[in-house]
């Protein structure tokens, strides 16, 4: 399954969200809209807790019961939203990847040149890896690859293809040093980012990631700029 970011945006949910019939009856006096809001809030609570426990303990040492206890729910309440541990795992990883389009839009909204847009996007991504528990949990799961092939997106390929596109625009704009291949530069940036966040995670639980990435990207972008 492609890990392409655009592909993931279209990626189907892994569990059917219960369809609401047009004339659904408000249960317990709550409007259907309020019920949907509460269900979405509950799913977010479960996802955040699962991501935190997956990041801290890994897939194998995290049970659905652990997640339920962490959010103060019964296992049944968790299973209502995520029918299996695998569905919960897939949901955390998908939520991890679904963070990126908004960061790309924010970087592009600044109206920078293509190379500075890449730089700004990766700075935002470093902040997300430092602060966002779902990003952290998704990264741990993608490291472990605990599910059979094909159930989780292929890691890294989405970022490599996105950065290759953006760096090709930078080359067309004359922003890249002569002879720099956008594809090679994209692969280098993704590898450097992945390694920087991994070492930061192991040594400081990512507390120093934004600074570490700032040091890495200054060196890399100095080599890329025309
Ligand atoms: C990124 C991770 C951790 C790549 O794209 C991915 O799959 C990634 C999780 O697998 O780092 C670097 C931006």
């Amino acid at each position: 399954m492609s890990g392409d970011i655009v592909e993931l945006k279209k990626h189907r949910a892994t569990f059917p969200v219960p369809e609401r019939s047009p004339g659904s009856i408000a249960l317990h006096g709550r409007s259907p809209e309020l019920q949907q809001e509460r269900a979405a809030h509950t799913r977010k609570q479960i996802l955040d807790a699962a991501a935190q426990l997956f990041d801290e303990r890994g897939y194998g040492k995290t049970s659905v019961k652990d997640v339920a206890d962490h959010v103060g729910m019964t296992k049944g309440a968790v299973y209502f939203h995520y029918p299996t541990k695998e569905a919960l795992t897939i949901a955390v990883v998908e939520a991890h990847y679904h963070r990126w389009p908004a960061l790309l839009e924010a970087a592009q909204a600044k109206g920078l040149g293509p190379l500075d847009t890449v730089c700004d996007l990766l700075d935002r991504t470093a902040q997300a890896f430092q602060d966002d528990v779902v990003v952290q949990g998704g990264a741990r799961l993608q490291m472990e690859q605990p599910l059979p092939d094909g159930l989780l997106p292929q890691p890294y390929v989405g970022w490599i293809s996105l950065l290759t596109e953006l760096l090709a625009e930078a080359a067309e704009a004359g922003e890249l040093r002569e002879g720099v291949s956008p594809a090679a530069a994209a692969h280098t940036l993704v590898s450097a980012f992945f390694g920087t966040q991994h070492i930061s995670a192991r040594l400081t639980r990512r507390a120093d990631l934004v600074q570490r990435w700032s040091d890495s990207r200054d060196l890399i972008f100095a080599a890329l700029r025309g």
Side-chain angles (χ1 to χ4, degrees):
M1 181 182 307
S2 157
D4 186 285
I5 287 180
V6 177
E7 190 64 23
L8 281 177
K9 273 177 77 169
K10 296 190 298 256
H11 190 70
R12 247 179 341 91
T14 47
F15 49 88
V17 177
E19 281 301 315
R20 195 165 44 78
S21 61
S24 38
I25 299 162
L27 297 180
H28 317 301
R30 293 189 200 115
S31 71
E33 290 70 22
L34 182 59
Q35 286 177 60
Q36 288 227 332
E37 271 176 44
R38 288 175 67 88
H41 177 69
T42 303
R43 276 199 295 279
K44 180 183 184 311
Q45 282 183 300
I46 295 168
L47 215 57
D48 287 353
Q52 182 182 338
L53 295 178
F54 284 140
D55 178 44
E56 290 172 357
R57 307 175 184 176
Y59 179 85
K61 291 179 180 168
T62 301
S63 68
V64 172
K65 177 78 169 56
D66 295 331
V67 175
D69 292 347
H70 199 73
V71 286
M73 294 177 192
T74 64
K75 268 174 66 174
V78 174
Y79 280 128
F80 174 78
H81 292 284
Y82 299 99
T84 61
K85 183 179 174 183
E86 289 71 19
L88 185 52
T89 300
I90 293 167
V92 168
V93 172
E94 286 187 332
H96 162 105
Y97 285 109
H98 288 179
R99 293 296 203 262
W100 308 141
L103 298 192
L104 176 60
E105 282 163 22
Q108 289 176 320
K110 292 180 70 173
L112 303 168
L115 192 56
D116 286 332
T117 298
V118 171
C119 190
D120 185 76
L121 169 61
L122 289 171
D123 285 353
R124 293 171 187 269
T125 305
Q127 194 71 57
F129 269 85
Q130 184 166 303
D131 298 341
D132 186 331
V133 67
V134 167
V135 170
Q136 294 158 359
R140 173 83 185 252
L141 290 168
Q142 283 292 65
M143 277 283 286
E144 292 184 354
Q145 290 288 305
L147 301 186
D149 287 353
L151 287 184
L152 292 174
Q154 196 181 12
Y156 320 121
V157 293
W159 271 107
I160 291 169
S161 65
L162 172 67
L163 294 188
T164 299
E165 274 177 51
L166 294 173
L167 290 166
E169 289 172 24
E172 280 160 31
E175 294 179 345
L176 288 192
R177 188 166 53 78
E178 190 65 33
V180 170
S181 146
H187 212 284
T188 299
L189 280 168
V190 172
S191 304
F193 186 97
F194 175 79
T196 302
Q197 69 81 28
H198 180 70
I199 293 172
S200 176
R202 296 303 294 262
L203 298 183
T204 70
R205 293 196 59 72
R206 293 191 181 89
D208 68 351
L209 176 55
V210 169
Q211 181 55 55
R212 292 292 177 210
W213 174 246
S214 171
D215 297 341
S216 303
R217 57 101 154 118
D218 283 350
L219 291 168
I220 296 170
F221 279 81
L224 293 180
R225 289 191 193 281

